[in-house]
Amino acid sequence: MPLTPFHLGPGLLLGVLTLRFFNFWPILLGSVVMDIEPLILATRNFVEGCPGCPDHSFFHSIFGAIVGSLILATILWKFKVKLNQISLKLKISQPYSFKVLFSSSLIAWLIHIFFDSLTNFDVFLFWPIKYNPILIGPKVFWSLNFLLLIFGIIGLILFFKKYARH
């Protein structure tokens, strides 16, 4: 699902439900940041006139999720004071250790690539091995997006119920 905002849904729901253990910011960012890769690849494919070329690559694999989560956790670690100030304004108390930032990003990243691997022929969880053992195909694309949207709506309701009413 390249460039879909619906991937925020599971991240939002997971973030609201697990704030005691994980950190909300890397979960949200880890849910969508890897879709910079399909944006770049799709643009390149369009410019080069290759509409059937893959839009997913390294960052849509388990190894890519680990590397990407390390990068994201490092960036967020540098902004942890500012992010904590924002969190406290929202009345959210959450851990900011590097381990928590990394694991929060990783779990969201893995959820994203799991959902993408269900519908995209070019998502290979075990990259560089070009095999997708859980590919169902594009026939479930819209129902999967609807599920991700439902996750997001539930996450928003829980977020506003828990935090925004203060």
Side-chain angles (χ1 to χ4, degrees), residues 23-159:
N23 188 290
F24 195 62
W25 306 115
I27 288 177
L28 285 183
L29 289 171
S31 296
V32 295
V33 73
M34 74 290 301
D35 273 347
I36 293 170
E37 177 185 60
L39 176 64
I40 292 167
L41 292 175
T43 303
R44 184 196 70 195
N45 293 340
F46 177 77
V47 169
E48 294 177 357
C50 187
C53 290
D55 292 334
H56 300 90
S57 190
F58 174 73
F59 286 109
H60 278 76
S61 68
I62 293 171
F63 185 54
I66 293 167
V67 171
S69 293
L70 283 170
I71 293 167
L72 183 58
T74 302
I75 292 168
L76 293 176
W77 175 259
K78 296 197 181 291
F79 292 98
K80 69 180 183 174
V81 172
K82 194 66 158 164
L83 291 171
N84 192 40
Q85 291 171 346
I86 297 168
S87 297
L88 292 176
K89 284 182 183 178
L90 294 171
K91 307 276 192 263
I92 299 172
S93 177
Q94 56 187 345
Y96 278 90
S97 71
F98 185 83
K99 179 180 173 182
V100 168
L101 294 174
F102 170 72
S103 60
S104 301
S105 173
L106 183 62
I107 189 100
W109 204 300
L110 291 172
I111 289 169
H112 178 115
I113 63 171
F114 167 76
F115 283 124
D116 270 1
S117 69
L118 294 174
T119 59
N120 292 288
F121 74 94
D122 58 352
V123 174
F124 305 112
L125 295 176
F126 305 106
W127 180 92
I129 299 169
K130 301 223 176 196
Y131 174 69
N132 184 344
I134 60 174
L135 176 67
I136 297 172
K139 64 185 172 222
V140 297
F141 179 80
W142 291 111
S143 54
L144 195 57
N145 273 299
F146 182 72
L147 178 66
L148 298 179
L149 177 64
I150 296 299
F151 286 158
I153 291 169
I154 294 168
L156 276 174
I157 290 169
L158 291 176
F159 179 81

